[in-house]
PDB file of all heavy atoms in Angstrom:
ATOM      1  N   ASN I 221     -15.929  16.440 -20.548  1.00 95.00           N
ATOM      2  CA  ASN I 221     -16.369  16.057 -19.261  1.00 95.00           C
ATOM      3  C   ASN I 221     -16.416  14.509 -19.119  1.00 95.00           C
ATOM      4  O   ASN I 221     -16.602  13.847 -20.102  1.00 95.00           O
ATOM      5  CB  ASN I 221     -17.801  16.595 -18.937  1.00 95.00           C
ATOM      6  CG  ASN I 221     -18.843  16.021 -19.894  1.00 95.00           C
ATOM      7  OD1 ASN I 221     -19.457  14.964 -19.594  1.00 95.00           O
ATOM      8  ND2 ASN I 221     -19.193  16.754 -20.955  1.00 95.00           N
ATOM      9  N   ARG I 222     -16.154  14.074 -17.918  1.00 95.00           N
ATOM     10  CA  ARG I 222     -16.089  12.531 -17.720  1.00 95.00           C
ATOM     11  C   ARG I 222     -16.039  12.286 -16.242  1.00 95.00           C
ATOM     12  O   ARG I 222     -15.700  13.179 -15.423  1.00 95.00           O
ATOM     13  CB  ARG I 222     -14.863  12.001 -18.414  1.00 95.00           C
ATOM     14  CG  ARG I 222     -13.506  12.588 -18.021  1.00 95.00           C
ATOM     15  CD  ARG I 222     -12.358  11.727 -18.267  1.00 95.00           C
ATOM     16  NE  ARG I 222     -12.270  11.170 -19.617  1.00 95.00           N
ATOM     17  CZ  ARG I 222     -11.155  11.466 -20.476  1.00 95.00           C
ATOM     18  NH1 ARG I 222     -10.222  12.400 -20.076  1.00 95.00           N
ATOM     19  NH2 ARG I 222     -11.088  10.987 -21.638  1.00 95.00           N
ATOM     20  N   TRP I 223     -16.334  11.118 -15.864  1.00 96.00           N
ATOM     21  CA  TRP I 223     -16.072  10.536 -14.575  1.00 96.00           C
ATOM     22  C   TRP I 223     -14.813   9.743 -14.602  1.00 96.00           C
ATOM     23  O   TRP I 223     -14.578   8.964 -15.545  1.00 96.00           O
ATOM     24  CB  TRP I 223     -17.212   9.597 -14.088  1.00 96.00           C
ATOM     25  CG  TRP I 223     -18.479  10.320 -13.599  1.00 96.00           C
ATOM     26  CD1 TRP I 223     -19.513  10.629 -14.369  1.00 96.00           C
ATOM     27  CD2 TRP I 223     -18.733  10.743 -12.295  1.00 96.00           C
ATOM     28  NE1 TRP I 223     -20.546  11.230 -13.604  1.00 96.00           N
ATOM     29  CE2 TRP I 223     -20.062  11.325 -12.297  1.00 96.00           C
ATOM     30  CE3 TRP I 223     -18.011  10.694 -11.079  1.00 96.00           C
ATOM     31  CZ2 TRP I 223     -20.594  11.944 -11.217  1.00 96.00           C
ATOM     32  CZ3 TRP I 223     -18.668  11.179  -9.988  1.00 96.00           C
ATOM     33  CH2 TRP I 223     -19.905  11.758 -10.030  1.00 96.00           C
ATOM     34  N   VAL I 224     -13.902   9.927 -13.634  1.00 96.00           N
ATOM     35  CA  VAL I 224     -12.687   9.235 -13.611  1.00 96.00           C
ATOM     36  C   VAL I 224     -12.527   8.557 -12.299  1.00 96.00           C
ATOM     37  O   VAL I 224     -13.059   8.993 -11.230  1.00 96.00           O
ATOM     38  CB  VAL I 224     -11.482  10.139 -13.916  1.00 96.00           C
ATOM     39  CG1 VAL I 224     -11.507  10.723 -15.311  1.00 96.00           C
ATOM     40  CG2 VAL I 224     -11.440  11.274 -12.918  1.00 96.00           C
ATOM     41  N   LYS I 225     -11.746   7.423 -12.295  1.00 94.00           N
ATOM     42  CA  LYS I 225     -11.344   6.755 -11.085  1.00 94.00           C
ATOM     43  C   LYS I 225     -10.009   7.087 -10.678  1.00 94.00           C
ATOM     44  O   LYS I 225      -9.065   7.066 -11.610  1.00 94.00           O
ATOM     45  CB  LYS I 225     -11.595   5.280 -11.145  1.00 94.00           C
ATOM     46  CG  LYS I 225     -12.969   4.752 -11.222  1.00 94.00           C
ATOM     47  CD  LYS I 225     -13.036   3.298 -11.362  1.00 94.00           C
ATOM     48  CE  LYS I 225     -14.530   2.731 -11.403  1.00 94.00           C
ATOM     49  NZ  LYS I 225     -14.591   1.286 -11.599  1.00 94.00           N
ATOM     50  N   LEU I 226      -9.752   7.381  -9.476  1.00 94.00           N
ATOM     51  CA  LEU I 226      -8.328   7.574  -8.959  1.00 94.00           C
ATOM     52  C   LEU I 226      -8.003   6.422  -8.093  1.00 94.00           C
ATOM     53  O   LEU I 226      -8.754   5.971  -7.111  1.00 94.00           O
ATOM     54  CB  LEU I 226      -8.254   8.898  -8.168  1.00 94.00           C
ATOM     55  CG  LEU I 226      -8.705  10.209  -8.855  1.00 94.00           C
ATOM     56  CD1 LEU I 226      -8.676  11.406  -7.902  1.00 94.00           C
ATOM     57  CD2 LEU I 226      -8.004  10.423 -10.153  1.00 94.00           C
ATOM     58  N   GLU I 227      -6.764   5.832  -8.285  1.00 87.00           N
ATOM     59  CA  GLU I 227      -6.320   4.744  -7.465  1.00 87.00           C
ATOM     60  C   GLU I 227      -4.863   5.138  -7.012  1.00 87.00           C
ATOM     61  O   GLU I 227      -4.032   5.452  -7.780  1.00 87.00           O
ATOM     62  CB  GLU I 227      -6.220   3.506  -8.271  1.00 87.00           C
ATOM     63  CG  GLU I 227      -7.576   2.943  -8.802  1.00 87.00           C
ATOM     64  CD  GLU I 227      -7.424   1.721  -9.633  1.00 87.00           C
ATOM     65  OE1 GLU I 227      -6.262   1.149  -9.726  1.00 87.00           O
ATOM     66  OE2 GLU I 227      -8.352   1.231 -10.210  1.00 87.00           O
ATOM     67  N   LEU I 228      -4.729   5.172  -5.650  1.00 84.00           N
ATOM     68  CA  LEU I 228      -3.383   5.460  -5.092  1.00 84.00           C
ATOM     69  C   LEU I 228      -2.705   4.250  -4.882  1.00 84.00           C
ATOM     70  O   LEU I 228      -3.113   3.290  -4.170  1.00 84.00           O
ATOM     71  CB  LEU I 228      -3.577   6.301  -3.793  1.00 84.00           C
ATOM     72  CG  LEU I 228      -2.326   6.530  -3.042  1.00 84.00           C
ATOM     73  CD1 LEU I 228      -1.360   7.391  -3.899  1.00 84.00           C
ATOM     74  CD2 LEU I 228      -2.606   7.283  -1.707  1.00 84.00           C
ATOM     75  N   LYS I 229      -1.475   4.125  -5.495  1.00 78.00           N
ATOM     76  CA  LYS I 229      -0.554   3.046  -5.178  1.00 78.00           C
ATOM     77  C   LYS I 229       0.710   3.585  -4.629  1.00 78.00           C
ATOM     78  O   LYS I 229       1.332   4.445  -5.200  1.00 78.00           O
ATOM     79  CB  LYS I 229      -0.184   2.272  -6.508  1.00 78.00           C
ATOM     80  CG  LYS I 229      -1.392   1.550  -7.179  1.00 78.00           C
ATOM     81  CD  LYS I 229      -0.877   0.840  -8.480  1.00 78.00           C
ATOM     82  CE  LYS I 229      -1.981   0.184  -9.191  1.00 78.00           C
ATOM     83  NZ  LYS I 229      -1.519  -0.580 -10.351  1.00 78.00           N
ATOM     84  N   LEU I 230       0.924   3.225  -3.423  1.00 72.00           N
ATOM     85  CA  LEU I 230       2.038   3.845  -2.649  1.00 72.00           C
ATOM     86  C   LEU I 230       3.330   3.792  -3.396  1.00 72.00           C
ATOM     87  O   LEU I 230       3.668   2.802  -3.996  1.00 72.00           O
ATOM     88  CB  LEU I 230       2.221   3.133  -1.248  1.00 72.00           C
ATOM     89  CG  LEU I 230       1.051   3.414  -0.262  1.00 72.00           C
ATOM     90  CD1 LEU I 230       1.419   2.764   1.018  1.00 72.00           C
ATOM     91  CD2 LEU I 230       0.865   4.922  -0.089  1.00 72.00           C
ATOM     92  N   LEU I 231       4.111   4.868  -3.326  1.00 71.00           N
ATOM     93  CA  LEU I 231       5.448   4.885  -3.879  1.00 71.00           C
ATOM     94  C   LEU I 231       6.472   4.427  -2.827  1.00 71.00           C
ATOM     95  O   LEU I 231       6.951   5.334  -2.128  1.00 71.00           O
ATOM     96  CB  LEU I 231       5.735   6.259  -4.452  1.00 71.00           C
ATOM     97  CG  LEU I 231       4.928   6.699  -5.689  1.00 71.00           C
ATOM     98  CD1 LEU I 231       5.165   8.156  -6.052  1.00 71.00           C
ATOM     99  CD2 LEU I 231       5.139   5.807  -6.797  1.00 71.00           C
ATOM    100  N   ALA I 232       6.859   3.226  -2.772  1.00 79.00           N
ATOM    101  CA  ALA I 232       7.691   2.692  -1.700  1.00 79.00           C
ATOM    102  C   ALA I 232       8.720   1.897  -2.488  1.00 79.00           C
ATOM    103  O   ALA I 232       8.518   1.214  -3.533  1.00 79.00           O
ATOM    104  CB  ALA I 232       7.083   1.820  -0.636  1.00 79.00           C
ATOM    105  N   ASP I 233      10.014   1.895  -1.981  1.00 87.00           N
ATOM    106  CA  ASP I 233      11.099   1.192  -2.567  1.00 87.00           C
ATOM    107  C   ASP I 233      11.050  -0.273  -2.192  1.00 87.00           C
ATOM    108  O   ASP I 233      11.229  -1.146  -3.010  1.00 87.00           O
ATOM    109  CB  ASP I 233      12.477   1.747  -2.107  1.00 87.00           C
ATOM    110  CG  ASP I 233      12.629   3.234  -2.620  1.00 87.00           C
ATOM    111  OD1 ASP I 233      12.414   3.527  -3.832  1.00 87.00           O
ATOM    112  OD2 ASP I 233      12.963   4.039  -1.793  1.00 87.00           O
ATOM    113  N   VAL I 234      10.809  -0.534  -0.903  1.00 90.00           N
ATOM    114  CA  VAL I 234      10.817  -1.876  -0.331  1.00 90.00           C
ATOM    115  C   VAL I 234       9.519  -2.123   0.357  1.00 90.00           C
ATOM    116  O   VAL I 234       9.058  -1.191   1.116  1.00 90.00           O
ATOM    117  CB  VAL I 234      12.019  -2.094   0.604  1.00 90.00           C
ATOM    118  CG1 VAL I 234      12.035  -3.431   1.218  1.00 90.00           C
ATOM    119  CG2 VAL I 234      13.314  -1.720  -0.064  1.00 90.00           C
ATOM    120  N   GLY I 235       8.947  -3.268   0.201  1.00 86.00           N
ATOM    121  CA  GLY I 235       7.631  -3.571   0.818  1.00 86.00           C
ATOM    122  C   GLY I 235       7.776  -4.792   1.762  1.00 86.00           C
ATOM    123  O   GLY I 235       8.494  -5.800   1.426  1.00 86.00           O
ATOM    124  N   LEU I 236       7.183  -4.685   2.951  1.00 88.00           N
ATOM    125  CA  LEU I 236       7.081  -5.803   3.831  1.00 88.00           C
ATOM    126  C   LEU I 236       5.813  -6.547   3.599  1.00 88.00           C
ATOM    127  O   LEU I 236       4.745  -6.040   3.692  1.00 88.00           O
ATOM    128  CB  LEU I 236       7.134  -5.296   5.271  1.00 88.00           C
ATOM    129  CG  LEU I 236       8.470  -4.685   5.798  1.00 88.00           C
ATOM    130  CD1 LEU I 236       8.243  -3.918   7.093  1.00 88.00           C
ATOM    131  CD2 LEU I 236       9.509  -5.739   5.994  1.00 88.00           C
ATOM    132  N   VAL I 237       5.865  -7.830   3.213  1.00 86.00           N
ATOM    133  CA  VAL I 237       4.655  -8.663   3.014  1.00 86.00           C
ATOM    134  C   VAL I 237       4.719  -9.904   3.923  1.00 86.00           C
ATOM    135  O   VAL I 237       5.793 -10.290   4.405  1.00 86.00           O
ATOM    136  CB  VAL I 237       4.563  -9.075   1.557  1.00 86.00           C
ATOM    137  CG1 VAL I 237       4.426  -7.884   0.647  1.00 86.00           C
ATOM    138  CG2 VAL I 237       5.751  -9.949   1.171  1.00 86.00           C
ATOM    139  N   GLY I 238       3.638 -10.524   4.151  1.00 84.00           N
ATOM    140  CA  GLY I 238       3.521 -11.714   4.968  1.00 84.00           C
ATOM    141  C   GLY I 238       2.186 -11.761   5.606  1.00 84.00           C
ATOM    142  O   GLY I 238       1.329 -10.887   5.458  1.00 84.00           O
ATOM    143  N   TYR I 239       1.935 -12.907   6.279  1.00 83.00           N
ATOM    144  CA  TYR I 239       0.717 -13.103   7.091  1.00 83.00           C
ATOM    145  C   TYR I 239       0.490 -12.043   8.149  1.00 83.00           C
ATOM    146  O   TYR I 239       1.530 -11.511   8.618  1.00 83.00           O
ATOM    147  CB  TYR I 239       0.657 -14.555   7.616  1.00 83.00           C
ATOM    148  CG  TYR I 239      -0.136 -15.537   6.796  1.00 83.00           C
ATOM    149  CD1 TYR I 239       0.495 -16.216   5.701  1.00 83.00           C
ATOM    150  CD2 TYR I 239      -1.485 -15.774   7.062  1.00 83.00           C
ATOM    151  CE1 TYR I 239      -0.197 -17.156   4.962  1.00 83.00           C
ATOM    152  CE2 TYR I 239      -2.191 -16.688   6.257  1.00 83.00           C
ATOM    153  CZ  TYR I 239      -1.525 -17.314   5.159  1.00 83.00           C
ATOM    154  OH  TYR I 239      -2.246 -18.194   4.422  1.00 83.00           O
ATOM    155  N   PRO I 240      -0.695 -11.975   8.676  1.00 80.00           N
ATOM    156  CA  PRO I 240      -0.922 -11.009   9.832  1.00 80.00           C
ATOM    157  C   PRO I 240      -0.125 -11.547  10.976  1.00 80.00           C
ATOM    158  O   PRO I 240       0.162 -12.706  11.171  1.00 80.00           O
ATOM    159  CB  PRO I 240      -2.427 -11.164  10.085  1.00 80.00           C
ATOM    160  CG  PRO I 240      -3.000 -11.545   8.859  1.00 80.00           C
ATOM    161  CD  PRO I 240      -1.975 -12.486   8.162  1.00 80.00           C
ATOM    162  N   SER I 241       0.389 -10.624  11.783  1.00 80.00           N
ATOM    163  CA  SER I 241       0.992 -10.816  13.097  1.00 80.00           C
ATOM    164  C   SER I 241       2.364 -11.643  12.998  1.00 80.00           C
ATOM    165  O   SER I 241       2.759 -12.297  13.841  1.00 80.00           O
ATOM    166  CB  SER I 241       0.173 -11.641  14.061  1.00 80.00           C
ATOM    167  OG  SER I 241      -1.035 -10.866  14.329  1.00 80.00           O
ATOM    168  N   VAL I 242       3.100 -11.485  11.872  1.00 84.00           N
ATOM    169  CA  VAL I 242       4.361 -12.069  11.706  1.00 84.00           C
ATOM    170  C   VAL I 242       5.504 -11.098  12.116  1.00 84.00           C
ATOM    171  O   VAL I 242       6.627 -11.479  12.214  1.00 84.00           O
ATOM    172  CB  VAL I 242       4.667 -12.561  10.276  1.00 84.00           C
ATOM    173  CG1 VAL I 242       3.763 -13.640   9.888  1.00 84.00           C
ATOM    174  CG2 VAL I 242       4.549 -11.444   9.254  1.00 84.00           C
ATOM    175  N   GLY I 243       5.093  -9.792  12.393  1.00 85.00           N
ATOM    176  CA  GLY I 243       6.070  -8.861  12.908  1.00 85.00           C
ATOM    177  C   GLY I 243       6.465  -7.727  11.930  1.00 85.00           C
ATOM    178  O   GLY I 243       7.432  -7.060  12.179  1.00 85.00           O
ATOM    179  N   LYS I 244       5.703  -7.533  10.913  1.00 85.00           N
ATOM    180  CA  LYS I 244       6.011  -6.522   9.973  1.00 85.00           C
ATOM    181  C   LYS I 244       6.010  -5.066  10.565  1.00 85.00           C
ATOM    182  O   LYS I 244       6.918  -4.290  10.401  1.00 85.00           O
ATOM    183  CB  LYS I 244       5.070  -6.566   8.717  1.00 85.00           C
ATOM    184  CG  LYS I 244       5.073  -7.741   8.025  1.00 85.00           C
ATOM    185  CD  LYS I 244       4.191  -7.799   6.778  1.00 85.00           C
ATOM    186  CE  LYS I 244       2.763  -7.497   7.039  1.00 85.00           C
ATOM    187  NZ  LYS I 244       2.153  -8.554   7.933  1.00 85.00           N
ATOM    188  N   SER I 245       4.964  -4.871  11.303  1.00 84.00           N
ATOM    189  CA  SER I 245       4.846  -3.475  11.950  1.00 84.00           C
ATOM    190  C   SER I 245       6.024  -3.254  12.961  1.00 84.00           C
ATOM    191  O   SER I 245       6.547  -2.134  13.141  1.00 84.00           O
ATOM    192  CB  SER I 245       3.566  -3.379  12.695  1.00 84.00           C
ATOM    193  OG  SER I 245       2.441  -3.453  11.753  1.00 84.00           O
ATOM    194  N   SER I 246       6.325  -4.364  13.655  1.00 88.00           N
ATOM    195  CA  SER I 246       7.484  -4.168  14.680  1.00 88.00           C
ATOM    196  C   SER I 246       8.783  -3.897  14.001  1.00 88.00           C
ATOM    197  O   SER I 246       9.627  -3.124  14.432  1.00 88.00           O
ATOM    198  CB  SER I 246       7.621  -5.523  15.451  1.00 88.00           C
ATOM    199  OG  SER I 246       6.425  -5.715  16.141  1.00 88.00           O
ATOM    200  N   ILE I 247       9.030  -4.504  12.767  1.00 91.00           N
ATOM    201  CA  ILE I 247      10.241  -4.297  12.060  1.00 91.00           C
ATOM    202  C   ILE I 247      10.272  -2.860  11.613  1.00 91.00           C
ATOM    203  O   ILE I 247      11.321  -2.146  11.771  1.00 91.00           O
ATOM    204  CB  ILE I 247      10.255  -5.199  10.818  1.00 91.00           C
ATOM    205  CG1 ILE I 247      10.553  -6.647  11.295  1.00 91.00           C
ATOM    206  CG2 ILE I 247      11.434  -4.785   9.882  1.00 91.00           C
ATOM    207  CD1 ILE I 247      10.611  -7.666  10.241  1.00 91.00           C
ATOM    208  N   ILE I 248       9.177  -2.268  10.973  1.00 88.00           N
ATOM    209  CA  ILE I 248       9.263  -0.950  10.513  1.00 88.00           C
ATOM    210  C   ILE I 248       9.455   0.051  11.623  1.00 88.00           C
ATOM    211  O   ILE I 248       9.981   1.151  11.482  1.00 88.00           O
ATOM    212  CB  ILE I 248       8.081  -0.637   9.532  1.00 88.00           C
ATOM    213  CG1 ILE I 248       8.326   0.608   8.690  1.00 88.00           C
ATOM    214  CG2 ILE I 248       6.785  -0.478  10.394  1.00 88.00           C
ATOM    215  CD1 ILE I 248       7.298   0.863   7.685  1.00 88.00           C
ATOM    216  N   ALA I 249       8.819  -0.291  12.797  1.00 87.00           N
ATOM    217  CA  ALA I 249       8.956   0.661  13.944  1.00 87.00           C
ATOM    218  C   ALA I 249      10.395   0.628  14.432  1.00 87.00           C
ATOM    219  O   ALA I 249      10.800   1.641  14.966  1.00 87.00           O
ATOM    220  CB  ALA I 249       7.916   0.210  15.023  1.00 87.00           C
ATOM    221  N   GLN I 250      11.101  -0.514  14.354  1.00 89.00           N
ATOM    222  CA  GLN I 250      12.389  -0.538  14.744  1.00 89.00           C
ATOM    223  C   GLN I 250      13.439   0.177  13.882  1.00 89.00           C
ATOM    224  O   GLN I 250      14.422   0.816  14.385  1.00 89.00           O
ATOM    225  CB  GLN I 250      12.872  -1.985  14.917  1.00 89.00           C
ATOM    226  CG  GLN I 250      12.313  -2.726  16.128  1.00 89.00           C
ATOM    227  CD  GLN I 250      13.288  -2.515  17.301  1.00 89.00           C
ATOM    228  OE1 GLN I 250      14.057  -1.696  17.425  1.00 89.00           O
ATOM    229  NE2 GLN I 250      13.172  -3.567  18.297  1.00 89.00           N
TER     230      GLN I 250
END
């Protein structure tokens, strides 16, 4: 018996990074 921590790290090939409001969401929507 034990307590365990689960951490989900998304399985993505390519990641969009950058400051807020630079247009990442608009790019993925397009």
Side-chain angles (χ1 to χ4, degrees):
N221 65 85
R222 54 160 53 117
W223 282 91
V224 294
K225 288 181 179 177
L226 305 179
E227 298 178 5
L228 175 58
K229 296 183 180 181
L230 291 181
L231 293 175
D233 300 308
V234 180
L236 293 166
V237 298
Y239 261 87
S241 297
V242 294
K244 299 185 300 299
S245 296
S246 298
I247 291 175
I248 197 172
Q250 283 273 21

